[in-house]
Structure formats: C-alpha cells, structure tokens
C-alpha cells in the first residue's frame, strides 16, 4: 500500500526513463534528477549545450490592460511599460510582503500576457490571480497543454538556428513566436543556468518529436534537475522554497531590482515598512574554504562562533572547485569579504562572504 | 551492480577486503551510484582506533553528505590520500583505486557480523535493486 500522492508526468517521462535518467519527485512531478551524472552534465552545459524538460512549470494567460485588468497590482515588477515581445522577472506577494511565488511575465500583445510560475504552487498561484484580477474570466491556466523545453549552453543559438533560422535575432529577455518542426510556438531567450539559452513553449502532445529531434544533434545532451540546481546556485538565482517563501520578503531575498516602488502592488505597504525599519537578515552568498559544501539548513556562524544565519541552498561548485552557499545572514555580518563558518553539530567549515554571482564566465549575454 | 566475490559487506554498503589481519575498506558500487559524483572525502586519522560500525569517514557528493561506517574494529594503518584531490576515484573504481582506509583488525570474529558477496547480493535484491 502506498500513501504517496500520485505524481504528474510530463509528456516526456518515457523519454527520460528510456535514456536511463534517475527519476525523482519534485514539486508534485516525476522528473529526471540526472542522466550521466551531475558533474558531466555540468561540464556539458557550461561548455556545449544541454536540454532540460521543464514541462512541469506552470503557464497562465491573462487578457486585458495592464492596470485595468488588475495584473499590474498583483506583481512587483513594472509591466505597464513593457514592450511587446519582452519578458520581465519579478514576484507576487501577500499583504505581509511575503513571496507567494516568483514568476516571469511575457507581454505577447498590448493586452495579452503570459506568466510562467513554479510547478509546486501552480494552483495556489492560479487562485491568487483569480482572486485579484478585475475579472477572473480573463485568466486561463494553460499548463497542461504547454510543454517547456530549455535549450541552454554556449552553443544553444547555433544549434537552434538549424531548426529556426530567425532565432539569432532574439535578444536577452525577449521572445517571439516561431514555427518549429511545423508547430507554432513561443521561444524566449531566458533561462536558469547563466548560459546563453532559450526556453521553448511547445504543444504538449508534440513535444516528444521536438525533444527527439534536438537530441539527434550530438552536441546536445539531456540534463536533469540535479545540475539545474547547481547551475542556478552558481548564478545565485533564488529557488522558491529555499530563498523565497511566504515568510520571506523579496527585499530580504535580495530581489530589490525586481520591485517597482513607483506603482501600487499587493504587499507594498509591508515592504515600505521593512525598508524603513531595516532588515535583521538578508541574503548572503559565500564560498567555502575547501571542497566541503554547505547544505540547506546548516547554521551560519560568525568568527566568534555565534549563530548569525541559516543556509538556504548549498552545493559543490564545479566551476570554483569549492563549496558555495546562499543563506540569510544577520545585518552587519554579511559584508563582502567577511569570514564566517557553516555547518551542523558534527562539522564546521570556514567560508568567506562573496559577491554574486559565483560564476562570472557564462555565455548568458553573448 | 558490481559486487566483489571475496569481499565482506555491511548493510550500510561498505566493503572490507581482509588479507591476513589487514582490512582494506571502501564503499560499494551501490553506495557510489546512490551518492552520485563524490566531491569530498574526510579521511580518518592514521593510528585512530575505530569500533565496528562506528562512523569514521564522511563523504560529500555534489548535493549531499553521508557518513561511512567502519566494517570492523581496529587501528587505522593507512588512508588513501589520493582521494583528497581525486574523490571521484570512488565513483570510477570503488573496489580498487577508490579504497578509503586500511585497518589493522582487532577481532577477526567480528567478520561474522558482515555479509558475504552472496548475502549482499540478496540484500540488494531485497532493497529492490
């Protein structure tokens, strides 16, 4: 007898299993953790090109004027001035200023928007939109008809160009509609790896053909969520449930530049209050003095051994050949160059607070 | 999963290869596969005394840390210092180049608490491997 809740499958689950992926439950979905191994997949992504199945992520459509629809007031990023065919990252908050989710908004037309949200909180997010949009009828969840394949790595443009010649003109954080293997689809130049890359929103039932076609190119390897996490930690990108939650404000999480204080949005008053009072803890980024790596939940200590924070994400960094971590650290103990340590009751490891990102040589904006 | 016929095994997936009264210790193919790419090994001290099934090594993979337990009591005679720079040897060759430590065995009778290759194979099957 199993008490586990059934996991959703992406349209590519059989492909992953056939390729020998180690599968894992993530955000309610049955997802590939790794194929060849995290280090090999890291190497391939940073130097060549990887494909990720991100069909678990949620996609919502909203129709209407930015302001009148209520959309602008739900999210922290400014959307009214977004040019069509651009995307913008931001968050949506509760009244207390805590993060309901982080999301990217795509402006498809002056009055047509697509939001991409995390898989685990799709239903919670949908509810939040429907509750706060002027008319819930303008909202549509297209998650289960939309597959999402991420092609990421320095060679991704050259590889995608062989299937979509016009892709070369796409600039960072812009998108367009293209015809790919006979299917109309949306492709954005976005990603979560720090490398040049594309996110392809493709018809769910046709995605297997696209996956197979892209993998026919021997420069492309399939890549799992394990290395995706390593890549995003090297870039200091937040992951909901780690750096972000309903108890954490985007200011604490270091996402200040994705908040537009010139407009009204849910949670703004709480954020203004936080700004006035200052923060006890803020996101810090640190590098281990050794290969020993911080892990989520580890304590962070100052030089005298006093607890000053908590690790939210940690990993071994193949780029630095050191452990790296993200965590909330007390104000005053969080200055770049400050020495700290991290660990649990068994092991304490020295580290130093660093600038973000840890990985600076990516092809992201090439 | 590869299993060495003449080694002995623990339920925590360590192996010991006993020659005279010296036991070479490492982790099994199952263990290295479950851990994934190993990025750090904290070796025991030479001359350290360890008890059977006592934690004496920690290994870290990219995404996790794990404890390694000593299959038999004794004194640590030698450690594989090559693992400091090349912890991935455990992934590549867990039964030979990826050995972790050599133990001067205190009590040969403790081997009775370990599994033979056949027992370990059955044990892995019972785990669904």
């Amino acid at each position: 007898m199993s008490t586990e809740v059934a996991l959703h499958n992406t349209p590519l689950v059989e492909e992953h299993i056939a390729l020998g992926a180690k599968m894992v439950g993530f955000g309610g979905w049955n997802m590939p953790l790794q194929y060849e191994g995290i280090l090999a997949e890291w190497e391939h992504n940073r130097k060549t090109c990887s494909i990720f199945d991100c069909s678990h992520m949620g996609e919502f459509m909203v129709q209407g004027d930015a302001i009148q629809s209520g959309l602008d007031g739900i999210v922290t990023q400014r959307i009214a001035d977004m040019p069509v065919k651009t995307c913008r990252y931001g968050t949506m908050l509760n009244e207390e200023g805590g993060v309901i989710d982080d999301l990217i908004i795509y402006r498809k037309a002056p009055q047509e928007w697509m939001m991409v949200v995390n898989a685990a909180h799709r239903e919670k997010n949908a509810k939040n939109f429907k509750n706060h949009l002027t008319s819930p009828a303008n909202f549509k969840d297209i998650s289960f008809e939309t597959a999402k394949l991420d092609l990421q790595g320095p060679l991704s443009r050259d590889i995608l160009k062989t299937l979509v010649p016009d892709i070369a003109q796409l600039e960072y954080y812009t998108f367009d509609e293209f015809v790919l293997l006979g299917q109309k689809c949306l492709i954005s130049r976005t990603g979560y790896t720090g490398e040049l890359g594309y996110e392809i929103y493709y018809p769910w039932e046709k995605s297997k053909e696209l996956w197979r076609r892209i993998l026919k190119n021997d420069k492309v390897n399939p890549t799992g969520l394990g290395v995706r996490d390593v890549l995003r930690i090297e870039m200091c990108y937040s992951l909901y449930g780690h750096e972000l939650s309903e108890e954490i404000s985007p200011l604490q999480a270091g996402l200040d530049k994705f908040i537009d204080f010139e407009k009204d949005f849910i949670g703004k008053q709480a954020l203004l209050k936080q700004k006035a009072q200052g923060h006890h803890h803020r996101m810090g980024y640190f590098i281990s003095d050794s290969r020993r790596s911080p892990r989520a939940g580890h304590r962070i200590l100052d030089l005298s051994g006093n607890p000053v924070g908590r690790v939210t994400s940690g990993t071994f960094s193949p780029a630095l050949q050191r452990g790296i971590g993200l965590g909330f650290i007390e104000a005053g103990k969080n200055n770049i160059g400050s020495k700290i340590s991290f660990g649990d009751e068994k092991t304490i490891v020295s580290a130093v607070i660093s600038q973000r990102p840890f990985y600076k040589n990516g092809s992201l904006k090439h | 999963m590869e299993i060495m016929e003449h080694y002995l095994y623990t339920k925590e997936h360590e192996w010991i290869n006993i020659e005279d009264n010296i036991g070479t210790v490492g982790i099994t193919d199952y263990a290295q596969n479950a851990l994934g790419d190993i990025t750090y090994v904290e070796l025991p001290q030479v001359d350290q005394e360890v008890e059977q099934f006592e934690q004496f090594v920690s290994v870290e993979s990219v995404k996790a840390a794990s404890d390694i337990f000593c299959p038999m009591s004794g004194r640590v005679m030698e450690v594989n210092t090559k693992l400091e720079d090349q912890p991935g040897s455990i992934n590549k060759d867990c039964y030979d180049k990826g050995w972790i430590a050599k133990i001067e065995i205190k009590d040969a009778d403790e081997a009775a608490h370990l599994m033979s290759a056949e027992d370990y194979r059955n044990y892995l099957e019972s785990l669904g491997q």
Side-chain angles (χ1 to χ4, degrees):
Chain A
M1 196 179 80
S2 171
T3 53
E4 283 174 29
V5 179
L7 296 169
H8 292 296
N9 283 323
T10 78
L12 301 171
V13 65
E14 287 141 12
E15 303 295 303
H16 303 315
I17 292 166
L19 288 165
K22 211 181 258 186
M23 303 297 287
V24 66
F26 176 83
W29 290 73
N30 183 23
M31 298 298 291
L33 178 68
Q34 62 174 63
Y35 301 81
E36 196 183 348
I38 290 183
L39 292 181
E41 289 169 36
W42 179 90
E43 184 85 11
H44 203 83
N45 176 268
R46 291 272 184 244
K47 304 209 166 134
T48 315
C49 185
S50 303
I51 188 164
F52 300 82
D53 176 12
C54 296
S55 303
H56 60 309
M57 295 192 73
E59 294 87 10
F60 302 150
M61 299 297 299
V62 167
Q63 304 287 337
D65 174 78
I67 311 288
Q68 282 160 14
S69 69
L71 184 59
D72 193 60
I74 300 174
V75 297
T76 58
Q77 64 266 57
R78 172 171 285 256
I79 62 167
D81 66 343
M82 275 174 70
V84 168
K85 296 183 182 174
T86 64
C87 14
R88 229 168 244 185
Y89 174 77
T91 59
M92 58 180 177
L93 309 181
N94 57 32
E95 291 289 354
E96 291 73 43
V99 180
I100 294 174
D101 207 358
D102 59 335
L103 74 172
I104 299 182
I105 297 191
Y106 290 68
R107 189 170 205 169
K108 292 187 74 178
Q111 300 210 359
E112 191 182 0
W113 314 83
M114 181 171 84
M115 274 83 64
V116 182
V117 301
N118 284 302
H121 304 284
R122 188 180 49 81
E123 285 168 18
K124 175 182 83 168
N125 292 334
K127 209 168 141 190
N128 191 56
F129 277 111
K130 283 189 260 186
N131 284 347
H132 292 105
L133 286 169
T134 318
S135 165
N138 290 332
F139 176 88
K140 195 178 170 206
D141 183 349
I142 57 163
S143 303
F144 284 93
E145 55 199 77
T146 312
K148 177 172 170 293
L149 301 189
D150 292 11
L151 196 65
Q152 302 275 309
L155 298 188
S156 57
R157 182 193 286 129
D158 294 339
I159 289 162
L160 197 50
K161 224 160 62 178
T162 63
L163 298 171
V164 188
D166 293 342
I167 204 72
Q169 72 211 21
L170 215 54
E171 300 203 8
Y172 185 57
Y173 258 67
T174 70
F175 69 93
D176 209 339
E177 283 183 348
F178 298 92
V179 175
L180 175 51
L181 302 187
Q183 299 294 324
K184 214 168 91 174
C185 64
L186 189 157
I187 304 176
S188 59
R189 206 182 129 186
T190 47
Y192 198 46
T193 64
E195 300 297 337
L196 172 69
Y198 300 88
E199 297 183 278
I200 306 169
Y201 298 88
Y202 208 72
W204 185 271
E205 70 282 4
K206 300 283 181 190
S207 58
K208 201 179 276 186
E209 286 126 70
L210 178 61
W211 171 266
R212 285 182 179 174
R213 178 63 182 269
I214 291 175
L215 278 176
K216 265 191 188 164
N217 188 319
D218 58 13
K219 290 197 174 73
V220 185
N221 279 7
T223 308
L225 292 186
V227 75
R228 191 170 166 85
D229 196 49
V230 175
L231 296 162
R232 71 99 190 163
I233 296 173
E234 286 187 332
M235 290 306 293
C236 300
Y237 293 153
S238 305
L239 175 62
Y240 197 85
H242 288 254
E243 287 70 41
L244 301 172
S245 79
E246 296 218 26
E247 282 71 47
I248 299 169
S249 89
L251 294 174
Q252 282 175 289
L255 300 181
D256 310 46
K257 68 174 179 179
F258 305 107
I259 305 165
D260 175 20
F261 280 103
E262 286 174 17
K263 69 167 193 175
D264 281 323
F265 58 88
I266 298 164
K268 182 180 175 183
Q269 293 313 314
L271 293 193
L272 287 173
K273 211 163 146 189
Q274 284 182 17
K275 267 183 124 170
Q277 288 172 344
H279 297 279
H280 296 300
H281 288 79
R282 260 184 86 104
M283 186 51 58
Y285 312 89
F286 54 93
I287 302 175
S288 168
D289 287 351
S290 77
R291 296 172 69 95
R292 294 213 98 155
S293 304
R295 311 292 174 185
H298 273 176
R299 283 179 302 163
I300 299 174
L301 310 168
D302 67 10
L303 273 185
S304 319
N306 303 312
V308 294
R310 188 71 69 174
V311 176
T312 52
S313 292
T315 182
F316 175 77
S317 163
L320 302 187
Q321 292 288 304
R322 290 267 182 280
I324 54 172
L326 279 55
F328 288 106
I329 305 174
E330 248 175 54
K333 308 281 184 181
N334 202 356
N335 303 317
I336 288 159
S338 292
K339 290 195 181 302
I340 54 152
S341 56
F342 62 83
D344 53 21
E345 54 290 334
K346 281 194 292 193
T347 315
I348 298 292
V349 182
S350 312
V352 61
I353 308 272
S354 146
Q355 280 174 319
R356 61 177 165 175
F358 298 116
Y359 183 69
K360 296 178 172 70
N361 305 322
S363 56
L364 182 66
K365 295 186 182 173
H366 288 187
Chain B
M1 293 294 161
E2 193 188 356
I3 296 175
M4 303 297 277
E5 285 308 323
H6 55 289
Y7 290 13
L8 297 175
Y9 298 88
T10 70
K11 287 190 167 173
E12 303 284 349
H13 308 285
E14 292 94 7
W15 56 261
I16 184 165
N17 179 25
I18 304 171
E19 287 167 312
D20 298 323
N21 70 327
I22 296 169
T24 305
V25 175
I27 65 170
T28 67
D29 193 23
Y30 173 88
Q32 71 77 20
N33 185 58
L35 286 166
D37 292 316
I38 292 168
T39 52
Y40 177 82
V41 183
E42 185 185 39
L43 294 164
Q45 301 288 325
V46 171
D47 284 338
Q48 183 183 332
E49 296 282 341
V50 287
E51 295 291 316
Q52 188 174 35
F53 305 137
E54 183 190 355
Q55 188 221 325
F56 80 133
V57 171
S58 1
V59 298
E60 293 190 10
S61 61
V62 180
K63 296 306 301 169
S66 299
D67 293 337
I68 306 298
F69 303 91
C70 195
M72 291 176 81
S73 307
R75 182 180 66 88
V76 177
M77 299 173 62
E78 194 182 342
V79 296
N80 185 0
T81 51
K82 285 190 179 150
L83 296 179
E84 287 168 1
D85 294 327
Q86 293 165 327
S89 303
I90 295 179
N91 296 110
K92 288 191 198 91
D93 191 2
C94 64
Y95 292 118
D96 186 14
K97 289 200 176 73
W99 67 279
I100 294 172
K102 290 189 179 172
I103 308 289
E104 186 182 32
I105 293 168
K106 201 164 87 179
D107 178 4
D109 292 345
E110 284 180 351
H113 302 138
L114 301 173
M115 286 180 274
S116 67
E118 192 187 346
D119 292 342
Y120 184 59
R121 194 173 287 114
N122 292 334
Y123 175 64
L124 288 184
E125 269 172 33
S126 75
L127 297 179
Q129 292 300 312

